[in-house]
Amino acid sequence: MRARVFVTLKPSVFDPQGRTIVEALHTMGYGDVGDVRQGKYFELEIETTDSAKAKAMAAEVADKLLANPVIESYRVEIV
Amino acid sequence: MKFAVIVFPGSNCDHDAHYAVTQVLGQQSALIWHKDTDLQGADVVILPGGFAHGDYLRTGAMARFSPIMREVQAFAERGGPVIGICNGFQILLEAGLLPGAMLRNRGLKYRCEHVHVRVETTDTPATAGAYKGQVLTIPIGHGEGNYYAPPDLLKRIEDNQQVVLRYTTADGRLDDDANPNGSVNAIASVCNDRRNVVGMMPHPERACEPALGGTDGLVILQSIVKALTTA
Amino acid sequence: MSIDPQVLERHGLKPDEYERIVAFMGREPNLTEIGIFSVMWSEHCSYKSSRVHLRTLPTEGPQVLQGPGENAGAVDIGEGLAAVFKIESHNHPSFIEPYQGAATGVGGIIRDIFTMGARPIALMNSLRFGALDAPGTRRLVDGVVAGIAGYGNSIGIPTIAGEIVFDPMYAGNPLVNVFCLGISKASDIIKGVASGVGNGVYYVGAKTGRDGIHGATMASAEFDEKSAEKRPAVQVGDPFMEKLLLEACLEVMKTDALIGIQDMGAAGLTCSTTEMGSRGGAGIEIDTALVPQRETGMTPYEIMLSESQERMLLVSKQGREAEVEAIFEKWDLHAVRIGHVTDDGMLRVKHQGQVVAEIPNRALTDEAPVYRRPMESPAYLPEAQTLDLETIVGSGSPEKALATLLSSPTIASKHWAYRQYDHMVQTNTMNLPGLGAGVVRIKGTDRALAMSVDGNGRHCYLDPKRGAALAVAEAARNVACAGAKPLAATNCLNFGNPERPAIMWQFGQAVAGIGEACRALDVPITGGNVSLYNETDGKAIYPTPIIGVVGLLEHADRLLTRRFQRSGDVVVLLGDSHCEVGGSEYLARVHGLVRGVPPSLDLKAERALQDLLVKLAEARLIRSAHDCSDGGIAVTLAECCFGSQGIGVEVSLMAVDAPSSLQVDATLFAESASRVVVSVDGSLVTEVLQSAAALGVPARVIGETGGNRIRLAVAGQIVVDVATADAERIWSQAIEQVVAQKVA
């Protein structure tokens, strides 16, 4: 199965890259874009057909390595 | 006195630290490969700067899984002094040996230059030979040195006087322009609550000889020796 | 199979070149073979247009341990050590993808150095962009600087010096030239040779993908609007992988289990197998199926032509394979045996045992075409060289002109860029970037190496021979200003399309100028790189030879910088000033003119000046030294004050012989060569002047350091009187002010 893990900075943490992108978009004329949060995206190929198991494993991996809980949060999707 | 300098794949200040310890400080030092599981009887452990594992996920994120880190953790738990410089600081944060986390510099660019840092506490092995309020001029070189801790944690760190160094002006004043990376409360260095583990963004090993333009880094390295000999 | 003309065109092979291949092979080559020929016979690999000229360069001397032809050159620096260095271009890839183009350029030159068995200890770069405030320049500058930083910082090699020039002529074709220097034991230099029948040929490093296929042919063609389609050809660098390779290779080299090693740069596996076999007088047979691959379904053609980064080819002694493999394993790298050395002088490529290409090495190297391309003095030259001084009205405000020059991005402080480079890692950097030549000490000795990269495209446009000689002189002079004796040089020759006689003439003239200057200054060329076809839509860049010179300080503590050290020192000008404003930054920035002839160069006088500087430094007779180049003596004096805690200077200059309205400006801003401003303790002035006289170097006291203003008088009249701090602010903020603006 394939798990997708999305990691972003927590809303309370300032995201300087996101801010820079927003500012660039505004100078390009996209004034309607209010906020941009930048993050990381991972695709994990997991050898199982059990989606609950895949999701649990992806979450465990995200907890241990892919995300830093002090500054980042994550979301897992199974496809 | 014996130093252990840990070598991760991608470390690049390991030899600099080793050189400063042996050639300038006149102490023993062993370079220890990250796959090793023995600190060889070291009295102090240095995690050097660099880009361990390429820093490809987050700075320091993967190095904490290296076999030697179990030994470093145990060594710290026994009260042994552990100093993390730059990438070593980031590794200690990721390993949970120090509180907080690193974000990208607020200017989003790598910065390599001399900065001024003020000693905030002398009750750590890295500052035992300094005096409180002393301003040191030491180079930095990093793209992710923007120290962050959530408000409650930050309060605890400040209340416990775990901030070791702060970015200031040359005369020791706090000033946003003197903060090179946007670190919260201008924090350049913190210690753990037991005060034996210290992480710092400045590179003391780069400021140990007049020929290289300064010797303030020696204050840090000599502090380690002093802390151990008087302990 | 029959080869249609389109296939040849796609491979950049001319019909007559194809006929030559068929004649040599005695048969029609297959597609894989055509691919192999196309990269080996490309301009980038074969130097087919430049070779006849490069042969005329001086490449020998008692100090030279390795001249051109290997991965890099090497010179003897005493105490049994060698400095291994080279400069290389990555212009085209950097234009297409600035970050990765520059990063992989740095990665490539580093591999060239450690392949020789040397530990890289310093990087420099020479960059050319369009006008800083022109649209599109910012993206390139940002990307290139970040790419150089991203690679060099990660791998832990300091970027210690360099130069950046902004000129509209480079808008459509930026130049990214990167220099690397390493240190090895003189006796341990390793070469890129394959020999010993049956010895194993190993592949180590990153896996092979389809990236960069035809990079070498891309670097040998002009840009046009279709170039954007070639985007996938750009390679992506992995400095972490290269750091592992560096450490592992240096460790393997400490054993004597290796015969030879070469990195897979341009033309990848093709070039490395051919060149290693050719140098060793042997052949190499490999099986492409054994090559580690990142993508599936790759053909032998693709595998042979891929330019994936961070890969090395090495030949190990029989019986020592396990030793070699174990060292790579330690660094989590896997050395894979992909073939062996033969004695038949052939490059034989198999795929799962089937021969898919079989070409004599000689056909790919020695038999590659060599062109004596027609040369013709360019039509623009007579007009461009004409400069009627009587028609130029002086600025009327030398202070304003000085401010204009100090804020010119070419002259202004490059702090914004070098702050992004880790210039201190390895703890050897004795001279911070921006203070003149880059200087690193050599641990374990009393010695230090100084190095500088220089070039002036405008000078070369107006007189390529003299301009190129001036570049050699300036690079060597910068090294001498640090107190180091210039030892040897490396060159990177950036020109337009050599098939145009005017461009080829520029090239021929420039090489002649380099040769003349290198001979006179005793800095032989030990290697380098030629980058042709630097054109976009038929518009060539300025002819831009970049020269890197390396020099030796026997005593590191004699190092000098450009900065005045204290107030009350006497300021002495070495060398003579003339009304030489042709091709100057002053003429370009203040009058908007690129005209005239560049300053004259007396190579004997230049040599004497450099010998004098080394002598004065060694005897500790002077406190600082800074050469006069862009912006003339006024800019030089200002720069001597910058970074010195605001020390000022007061000098009085004799007016140069010039039309009266231009006299003051010409005195201040003309770029006469072979001039250096030194500061001297008052008690040593007589000795300095006597030393100068003994070597026949003109020297005169022009003033004194002190105060906090820059006060310059010409013929007794004060013409510039500005606070040092104000001038320094203009100079240090000029680039940041522009780059701080938002990119639209």
Side-chain angles (χ1 to χ4, degrees):
Chain A
M1 304 207 80
R2 176 175 292 178
R4 292 176 171 163
V5 183
F6 300 84
V7 177
T8 49
L9 288 172
K10 286 178 179 172
S12 56
V13 177
F14 176 57
D15 175 4
Q17 281 167 287
R19 182 200 56 181
T20 306
I21 295 164
V22 152
E23 285 173 358
L25 289 173
H26 286 176
T27 43
M28 288 162 71
Y30 296 100
D32 292 344
V33 179
D35 190 24
V36 172
R37 304 288 290 175
Q38 183 177 283
K40 299 187 188 107
Y41 168 64
F42 303 86
E43 282 185 359
L44 312 177
E45 295 292 344
I46 300 174
E47 304 256 329
T48 175
T49 50
D50 179 345
S51 73
K53 198 172 153 198
K55 188 162 188 174
M57 188 181 293
E60 188 180 325
V61 164
D63 272 328
K64 280 193 178 161
L65 181 64
L66 302 183
N68 179 341
V70 181
I71 45 173
E72 293 169 327
S73 52
Y74 67 87
R75 176 166 63 82
V76 176
E77 276 177 11
I78 301 295
V79 285
Chain B
M1 183 167 309
K2 191 166 176 189
F3 285 64
V5 178
I6 310 299
V7 183
F8 296 98
S11 292
N12 62 31
C13 304
D14 44 347
H15 288 274
D16 300 355
H18 180 73
Y19 181 88
V21 167
T22 55
Q23 304 301 309
V24 186
L25 214 51
Q27 302 290 332
Q28 281 183 290
S29 166
L31 289 162
I32 295 184
W33 183 233
H34 77 121
K35 288 181 193 167
D36 289 350
T37 51
D38 179 5
L39 288 172
Q40 300 178 16
D43 303 299
V44 52
V45 173
I46 291 185
L47 303 190
F51 290 73
H53 297 278
D55 276 351
Y56 282 153
L57 179 60
R58 285 183 312 280
T59 55
M62 287 184 267
R64 71 175 156 124
F65 296 107
S66 287
I68 196 68
M69 284 305 288
R70 279 194 295 273
E71 303 308 312
V72 173
Q73 187 127 20
F75 179 80
E77 277 162 16
R78 292 196 299 271
V82 177
I83 313 292
I85 299 167
C86 195
N87 193 226
F89 185 10
Q90 294 159 342
I91 292 167
L92 291 171
L93 292 169
E94 285 281 344
L97 288 169
L98 287 174
M102 282 301 173
L103 299 169
R104 284 191 71 177
N105 292 352
R106 67 177 156 187
L108 296 180
K109 292 196 188 311
Y110 188 98
R111 278 180 80 154
C112 177
E113 60 198 344
H114 283 88
V115 297
H116 307 293
V117 288
R118 189 177 69 198
V119 175
E120 301 291 284
T121 170
T122 57
D123 184 17
T124 79
T127 48
Y131 59 85
K132 197 171 167 180
Q134 187 171 2
V135 178
L136 304 173
T137 304
I138 302 182
I140 54 165
H142 60 250
E144 294 196 24
N146 181 353
Y147 181 80
Y148 174 83
D152 50 334
L153 178 61
L154 185 62
K155 183 172 185 306
R156 210 158 66 231
I157 292 168
E158 291 284 4
D159 289 349
N160 287 345
Q161 296 181 349
Q162 283 172 247
V163 177
V164 182
L165 302 170
R166 251 187 256 276
Y167 301 109
T168 63
T169 59
D171 55 359
R173 281 180 303 108
L174 284 170
D175 180 332
D176 198 47
D177 284 343
N179 182 340
N181 49 34
S183 289
V184 62
N185 291 6
I187 291 172
S189 167
V190 294
C191 65
N192 60 349
D193 46 14
R194 200 172 161 179
R195 313 191 82 78
N196 63 319
V197 179
V198 181
M200 64 183 70
M201 289 317 291
H203 284 271
E205 80 281 10
R206 294 185 180 186
C208 290
E209 294 166 87
L212 304 183
T215 55
D216 280 2
L218 266 184
V219 172
I220 304 273
L221 296 184
Q222 283 165 343
S223 290
I224 299 170
V225 176
K226 181 182 173 193
L228 276 168
T229 41
T230 57
Chain C
M1 80 181 266
S2 70
I3 296 298
D4 71 78
Q6 281 185 334
V7 170
L8 292 184
E9 203 192 313
R10 255 205 332 271
H11 284 85
L13 286 168
K14 307 266 146 95
D16 58 318
E17 292 178 336
Y18 182 70
E19 280 167 30
R20 201 184 161 102
I21 294 171
V22 175
F24 196 89
M25 301 274 286
R27 63 175 167 87
E28 298 261 332
N30 62 37
L31 190 63
T32 303
E33 290 169 335
I34 286 182
I36 289 172
F37 271 104
S38 79
V39 290
M40 289 306 294
W41 284 17
S42 70
E43 192 65 59
H44 192 76
C45 292
S46 73
Y47 295 88
K48 58 190 168 190
S49 302
S50 57
R51 217 192 276 189
V52 291
H53 298 279
L54 298 178
R55 275 187 199 134
T56 66
L57 290 172
T59 58
E60 287 172 357
Q63 71 271 45
V64 178
L65 298 173
Q66 178 64 58
E70 274 289 342
N71 288 299
V75 288
D76 188 340
I77 55 169
E79 305 199 21
L81 297 173
V84 177
F85 61 95
K86 192 165 115 172
I87 190 167
E88 208 164 71
S89 65
H90 234 214
N91 305 335
H92 296 80
S94 301
F95 182 52
I96 294 177
E97 213 304 290
Y99 183 98
Q100 292 298 344
T104 52
V106 173
I109 194 70
I110 292 171
R111 280 196 301 284
D112 278 336
I113 301 309
F114 75 75
T115 299
M116 300 282 291
R119 177 171 286 279
I121 63 165
L123 290 165
M124 297 194 287
N125 54 71
S126 178
L127 313 177
R128 298 290 182 279
F129 299 104
L132 181 56
D133 50 7
T137 303
R138 277 284 312 284
R139 182 187 76 91
L140 290 168
V141 176
D142 276 352
V144 165
V145 169
I148 290 170
Y151 209 102
N153 297 357
S154 305
I155 198 166
I157 301 167
T159 300
I160 59 168
E163 50 153 22
I164 312 180
V165 172
F166 299 90
D167 191 296
M169 289 298 277
Y170 301 100
N173 196 313
L175 301 184
V176 176
N177 291 184
V178 285
F179 169 104
C180 184
L181 178 142
I183 297 286
S184 83
K185 278 193 191 157
S187 55
D188 291 355
I189 290 176
I190 292 185
K191 303 197 176 174
V193 296
S195 62
V197 178
N199 280 335
V201 173
Y202 280 82
Y203 171 112
V204 65
K207 290 181 178 173
T208 297
R210 291 192 173 90
D211 37 354
I213 291 176
H214 285 312
T217 41
M218 178 176 81
S220 308
E222 291 175 36
F223 273 111
D224 51 36
E225 71 276 15
K226 284 190 210 131
S227 298
E229 290 167 22
K230 293 183 180 170
R231 214 171 268 273
V234 170
Q235 317 92 311
V236 173
D238 180 355
F240 175 58
M241 169 64 82
E242 180 138 317
K243 168 75 173 165
L244 301 182
L245 267 181
L246 185 162
E247 296 297 342
C249 287
L250 290 178
E251 200 171 320
V252 165
M253 289 163 178
K254 276 193 202 146
T255 72
D256 62 343
L258 271 194
I259 301 280
I261 183 164
Q262 175 147 346
D263 87 290
M264 295 185 221
L269 200 46
T270 294
C271 187
S272 51
T273 47
T274 307
E275 289 192 352
M276 286 188 80
S278 171
R279 288 197 197 102
I284 283 185
E285 176 179 316
I286 60 167
D287 192 320
T288 49
L290 300 174
V291 170
Q293 291 156 47
R294 201 179 64 222
E295 299 179 58
T296 53
M298 289 185 71
T299 63
Y301 174 96
E302 291 171 325
I303 292 166
M304 288 306 289
L305 267 55
S306 162
E307 292 193 356
S308 292
Q309 296 286 299
E310 289 90 22
R311 303 179 301 160
M312 308 289 281
L313 191 74
L314 48 102
V315 176
S316 140
K317 289 183 184 163
Q318 280 189 61
R320 306 289 295 273
E321 294 87 351
E323 214 175 314
V324 171
E325 285 169 19
I327 290 173
F328 284 110
E329 287 297 330
K330 173 190 159 186
W331 292 94
D332 292 326
L333 298 167
H334 310 289
V336 178
R337 187 178 168 127
I338 60 167
H340 59 270
V341 179
T342 67
D343 62 356
D344 60 8
M346 302 287 275
L347 167 63
R348 188 174 297 104
V349 182
K350 292 182 172 177
H351 190 72
Q352 294 173 338
Q354 294 278 342
V355 174
V356 293
E358 196 168 24
I359 308 172
N361 285 327
R362 219 158 57 80
L364 296 169
T365 53
D366 301 350
E367 291 298 320
V370 173
Y371 294 133
R372 282 181 191 278
R373 294 200 188 272
M375 301 193 282
E376 195 186 338
S377 173
Y380 71 80
L381 209 55
E383 163 67 15
Q385 287 185 335
T386 311
L387 176 63
D388 182 0
L389 293 178
E390 300 288 349
T391 63
I392 297 173
V393 181
S395 65
S397 170
E399 272 180 22
K400 240 180 163 170
L402 178 60
T404 300
L405 288 169
L406 290 175
S407 64
S408 157
T410 294
I411 289 176
S413 167
K414 309 299 186 298
H415 181 74
W416 172 84
Y418 59 67
R419 182 166 83 176
Q420 296 180 55
Y421 307 141
D422 187 342
H423 45 261
M424 296 187 242
V425 64
Q426 298 196 13
T427 59
N428 295 319
T429 309
M430 298 183 69
N431 217 5
L432 295 178
L435 293 182
V439 180
V440 285
R441 66 167 173 190
I442 305 165
K443 285 190 180 119
T445 74
D446 199 20
R447 293 167 184 242
L449 292 174
M451 56 204 86
S452 183
V453 280
D454 292 283
N456 186 321
R458 203 187 295 133
H459 284 169
C460 294
Y461 170 74
L462 295 169
D463 182 343
K465 186 174 178 193
R466 190 185 282 179
L470 283 165
V472 175
E474 185 176 349
R477 195 186 312 133
N478 279 332
V479 162
C481 281
K485 179 180 164 36
L487 290 179
T490 176
N491 59 8
C492 195
L493 307 175
N494 307 276
F495 289 78
N497 180 347
E499 293 160 47
R500 289 170 35 195
I503 301 285
M504 207 56 225
W505 180 85
Q506 291 174 337
F507 186 87
Q509 289 284 304
V511 172
I514 292 170
E516 215 172 278
C518 287
R519 267 184 212 100
L521 301 177
D522 189 20
V523 284
I525 297 282
T526 61
N529 169 237
V530 176
S531 172
L532 301 174
Y533 299 95
N534 287 289
E535 307 201 348
T536 295
D537 296 330
K539 193 170 183 287
I541 57 163
Y542 282 143
T544 312
I546 300 294
I547 311 294
V549 167
V550 174
L552 176 69
L553 269 153
E554 285 193 32
H555 302 286
D557 64 354
R558 307 298 205 277
L559 169 68
L560 295 170
T561 76
R562 67 163 164 77
R563 286 189 294 209
F564 289 143
Q565 299 294 304
R566 57 174 207 186
S567 295
D569 278 349
V570 174
V571 180
V572 174
L573 173 65
L574 306 175
D576 278 333
S577 305
H578 304 282
C579 177
E580 294 176 306
V581 294
S584 66
E585 188 73 7
Y586 163 78
L587 215 53
R589 300 297 300 194
V590 178
H591 297 281
L593 291 175
V594 177
R595 276 187 167 275
V597 289
S600 57
L601 176 62
D602 175 343
L603 284 164
K604 265 201 190 121
E606 179 70 42
R607 176 72 187 267
L609 170 71
Q610 294 181 17
D611 289 347
L612 174 67
L613 286 164
V614 176
K615 210 170 231 173
L616 293 175
E618 178 61 31
R620 298 184 197 269
L621 290 176
I622 53 178
R623 287 191 207 277
S624 72
H626 189 27
D627 93 314
C628 297
S629 66
D630 297 336
I633 192 169
V635 166
T636 298
L637 286 163
E639 287 176 346
C640 290
C641 296
F642 298 161
S644 66
Q645 323 287 317
I647 296 180
V649 66
E650 178 153 4
V651 307
S652 177
L653 301 166
M654 290 195 317
V656 298
D657 188 13
S660 59
S661 112
L662 198 58
Q663 200 163 41
V664 169
D665 283 7
T667 303
L668 295 174
F669 307 122
E671 295 177 5
S672 294
S674 311
R675 292 185 300 164
V676 170
V677 168
V678 300
S679 62
V680 185
D681 183 283
S683 67
L684 298 171
V685 173
T686 314
E687 211 173 327
V688 168
L689 296 179
Q690 280 168 353
S691 303
L695 288 173
V697 176
R700 66 179 60 86
V701 172
I702 57 170
E704 198 172 295
T705 66
N708 54 14
R709 300 184 73 78
I710 298 169
R711 287 161 63 88
L712 311 178
V714 172
Q717 289 274 340
I718 294 275
V719 290
V720 170
D721 185 355
V722 293
T724 305
D726 291 341
E728 185 161 3
R729 201 170 306 120
I730 290 170
W731 174 80
S732 61
Q733 293 180 356
I735 288 185
E736 301 212 28
Q737 273 167 358
V738 179
V739 297
Q741 289 161 11
K742 299 258 161 17
V743 194

